[in-house]
Amino acid sequence: MFAARVDAAPHWPALLDAAELGALAARARDWVHAPTPLEIHEHHAGDWPSTALGRGLDFEEARPYAPGDDLRDMDWRSTARLGHPFIKTYREERLPICHLVLDRTATMRFATRRRLKVAQAARVLLLAGFAAMDAGMAVAATAWDERDLWWPARHGEGAWLELAQSLIAPCPPPQQLQAPTHANAHALQRLDHLAQELPAGCHVWLASDLVWLGERTAPALARLAHRRRLRLVRVLDPAETGWPALGAAGLEDLATGARHWLGGQAALNERLRRANAERLAAQDALLQRHGLRAIDVATPQDELLSTLGPHG
């Protein structure tokens, strides 16, 4: 990954401004974002059934007794009628959770047109977050950065707006890039952490350029998707498919510090087009092997709903 040298600035703006936040909130209301019909009252904990069985308020079924079952849950009527011990099981009540994962690492802080890749990723996740909040879900988030950040699930508009402001914090240009092997290892740790911490049934939105996707990280991504509703959004910049009409350009490799002069736009565009097509095809094949797929979003794209499809 190459990046043009950018002079240091004393202040970097947030990824999105207040007007764009308002526009995303308005668009989210039109999104089909809930798997069950919404009611006019506000949802609270216990309004939605969990995918897990356990001790709760709503009787689910009676099943044969197994060693270790709590005798307080014995179904005496079924036991007497059928002649075998039976246990009552209940449907747990949980507030549904939407967990947003924003990749704010160095390769996401890149742009040639309209907005940074990380800014487009933030737009996608904020749209999903507004829709989830409107559906009565609790919203949590993770930001992958030099120091990863984790915000626990919170319910209500005030808590969500505070979280949204954290996600769109400024992203100045990176000072250096991690070597690919280190970046991939770090991504593996991050995915495993999410798979361990997020409950079954959780809605997960992950927005990234997926430069870390490989033979080791793809299985970890599949583990994260197991028993969870994962939406994987791959954010792409147009320069990754063809160099803009700049003529000769001097670039600095942030990973090594080496400087390169690029020219011959036609030949360069063809090399970029082929390399990017091969990279995306390899990623798609890898995801497909693990039962996954990515939704592609380009950085200049303003309308997102038609690409992302129904939420929920």
Side-chain angles (χ1 to χ4, degrees):
M1 171 65 70
F2 298 111
R5 176 181 292 277
V6 179
D7 293 334
H11 174 74
W12 295 96
L15 295 176
L16 305 177
D17 58 25
E20 188 150 25
L21 285 177
L24 290 172
R27 295 295 294 130
R29 297 188 186 99
D30 300 329
W31 205 4
V32 181
H33 52 69
T36 55
L38 297 179
E39 298 178 13
I40 58 174
H41 63 78
E42 183 180 4
H43 289 284
H44 297 283
D47 288 338
W48 299 67
S50 168
T51 57
L53 297 178
R55 298 186 60 84
L57 298 179
D58 295 330
F59 173 74
E60 180 70 16
E61 63 179 358
R63 61 165 177 79
Y65 171 84
D69 285 337
D70 194 335
L71 294 180
R72 293 175 298 175
D73 294 330
M74 187 71 73
D75 185 346
W76 297 109
R77 290 186 179 181
S78 297
T79 299
R81 184 175 67 255
L82 299 174
H84 302 285
F86 276 77
I87 290 290
K88 294 179 180 179
T89 60
Y90 301 86
R91 177 68 60 178
E92 289 188 17
E93 294 178 340
R94 292 182 184 170
L95 183 67
I97 297 174
C98 178
H99 196 99
L100 312 175
V101 184
L102 177 61
D103 187 347
R104 290 170 54 98
T105 55
T107 61
M108 290 290 288
R109 304 184 186 200
F110 175 79
T112 59
R113 301 179 206 173
R114 193 161 183 85
R115 55 176 67 93
L116 294 169
K117 288 196 286 187
V118 68
Q120 185 70 310
R123 292 183 74 240
V124 170
L125 296 185
L126 290 181
L127 187 61
F130 276 117
M133 188 271 297
D134 286 343
M137 303 174 71
V139 183
T142 298
W144 293 347
D145 210 328
E146 292 180 357
R147 296 182 60 184
D148 291 354
L149 299 174
W150 179 288
W151 294 274
R154 298 176 64 185
H155 186 255
E157 182 177 359
W160 159 241
L161 291 177
E162 181 179 343
L163 174 54
Q165 291 294 333
S166 299
L167 288 175
I168 63 172
C171 279
Q175 296 303 311
Q176 61 181 4
L177 295 181
Q178 279 187 315
T181 53
H182 293 164
N184 293 349
H186 204 175
L188 180 61
Q189 295 173 356
R190 288 161 164 160
L191 292 170
D192 284 340
H193 177 71
L194 288 171
Q196 293 169 8
E197 294 295 329
L198 299 186
C202 180
H203 295 236
V204 183
W205 285 80
L206 195 163
S208 169
D209 54 10
L210 303 187
V211 297
W212 42 264
L213 185 65
E215 293 292 343
R216 295 183 62 199
T217 50
L221 198 58
R223 290 192 294 271
L224 174 61
H226 180 60
R227 298 184 64 196
R228 302 176 186 89
R229 300 181 182 182
L230 174 65
R231 292 283 191 93
L232 185 62
V233 179
R234 180 169 53 191
V235 183
L236 303 171
D237 185 272
E240 293 169 326
T241 58
W243 191 251
L246 296 178
L251 301 179
E252 180 180 342
D253 185 337
L254 294 179
T256 64
R259 295 186 178 183
H260 304 267
W261 282 93
L262 301 178
Q265 183 179 337
L268 176 61
N269 275 346
E270 181 60 20
R271 291 201 303 271
L272 285 172
R273 186 193 65 78
R274 289 183 179 179
N276 186 68
E278 292 173 359
R279 177 177 67 90
L280 297 184
Q283 287 184 350
D284 289 339
L286 189 57
L287 292 172
Q288 187 175 11
R289 289 211 319 261
H290 293 276
L292 303 169
R293 63 178 292 268
I295 304 169
D296 286 342
V297 174
T299 52
Q301 185 175 342
D302 290 321
E303 173 55 42
L304 296 173
L305 295 187
S306 59
T307 302
L308 298 179
H311 174 77

